[in-house]
Amino acid sequence: MSDPDFLESGRRLFAGPCEFIWGASKIDGLPPASLPEIAVAGRSNVGKSSLINALTGRKTLARMSRTPGRTQELNFFELNGQLRLVDMPGWGYAAVGKEKVASWTELLRAYLRGRSVLLRVLVLIDGRHGLKPVDIEMLDLLDKSAASYEIVLTKKDEIKGSAAEQRLTDMRAALAKRPAAYPEVLFTSAHTSEGLPELRASIARLIAERQTSH
Ligand code: GDP
């Protein structure tokens, strides 16, 4: 398929029904691995809820992951019967205490290492700031887990053209040293929708590639 075809199949994928189906707080509590999965990670306030809502065209979807009790879970949303988006909300909630952070990290590690249907992790980074220490911790964990991941920058509307270019250049340079990172970086805005059709298309492409490799 060509790029315009993926733009169209990405649009259709995200225009379909989307619902919360499962929350898992333990590795033996995951849903059956029956559909491909794309996980979404990012520190709190990066714009993750806004991006998931903008991608799916729904206002309240990702609010689910913030309700008490769900911030330390992997939250599964099923899209059009074709894909599951897995929200990983646990980053950057220092307030939850050391013990919870440790068990949350354990859950993430186990999921990232052992999930055969996981196609890619989207790691959201605030486009205004670039990589912060908590982001670097996350990338280190992903590299160690050997889970394929891709950086998605957020809040592009807040950044002027040349600064946005520079941010992209810096991010690509930082990723060149990371073995599990996908080399392309998308710059998105949940407010203007910039970059969202391309992000949907890249997800549709991953699903299509998976289907042809099986
Ligand atoms: P989360 O904690 O990662 O789920 O972040 P939210 O989606 O709640 O967003 C955190 C803050 O960033 C909110 O004030 C949002 O309005 C703002 N925000 C999110 N996405 C964008 C964006 O694309 N552009 C701008 N300018 N602000 C954004």
Side-chain angles (χ1 to χ4, degrees):
M1 282 209 289
S2 66
D3 286 349
D5 290 336
F6 283 117
L7 279 171
E8 177 53 20
S9 52
R11 190 193 64 73
R12 265 189 274 125
L13 173 66
F14 280 86
C18 178
E19 55 179 350
F20 176 75
I21 58 154
W22 201 289
S25 57
K26 295 202 179 91
I27 197 63
D28 55 7
L30 296 177
S34 48
L35 281 179
E37 289 171 0
I38 298 279
V40 192
R43 63 169 177 76
S44 60
N45 226 31
V46 72
K48 182 151 60 77
S49 311
S50 304
L51 187 76
I52 292 178
N53 289 340
L55 274 175
T56 56
R58 283 155 186 90
K59 288 211 168 70
T60 53
L61 196 73
R63 197 177 294 159
M64 183 69 78
S65 294
R66 291 209 197 150
T67 53
R70 296 222 179 274
T71 57
Q72 298 286 303
E73 288 188 346
L74 297 173
N75 293 314
F76 292 76
F77 299 88
E78 193 161 306
L79 209 58
N80 215 25
Q82 284 178 282
L83 173 73
R84 290 187 186 142
L85 286 178
V86 185
D87 189 1
M88 304 179 134
W91 289 95
Y93 288 93
V96 297
K98 271 200 184 129
E99 223 168 86
K100 278 201 172 162
V101 169
S103 69
W104 164 248
T105 310
E106 224 19 76
L107 171 63
L108 277 189
R109 276 210 188 99
Y111 172 77
L112 293 170
R113 283 204 186 125
R115 194 70 169 168
S116 59
V117 288
L118 178 61
L119 301 183
R120 188 164 289 168
V121 183
L122 305 178
V123 182
L124 309 191
I125 304 289
D126 195 318
R128 298 170 307 176
H129 308 307
L131 290 175
K132 295 276 187 193
V134 61
D135 299 322
I136 290 172
E137 253 175 61
M138 195 158 43
L139 300 187
D140 289 346
L141 187 140
L142 286 160
D143 277 322
K144 278 191 203 125
S145 317
S148 162
Y149 65 90
E150 174 174 355
I151 302 290
V152 176
L153 294 168
T154 60
K155 310 186 188 180
K156 181 159 193 212
D157 55 289
E158 298 257 1
I159 297 132
K160 299 229 162 50
S162 62
E165 274 314 308
Q166 189 58 49
R167 177 75 68 222
L168 278 168
T169 307
D170 294 347
M171 285 303 313
R172 289 190 191 112
L175 292 179
K177 298 175 201 136
R178 291 187 170 271
Y182 182 71
E184 291 303 314
V185 178
L186 279 175
F187 215 144
T188 62
S189 165
H191 286 187
T192 65
S193 298
E194 194 174 346
L196 299 188
E198 291 78 9
L199 182 53
R200 294 188 194 102
S202 76
I203 293 170
R205 183 189 287 271
L206 280 170
I207 296 174
E209 285 170 358
R210 166 127 185 145
Q211 280 159 354
T212 54
S213 72
H214 276 65

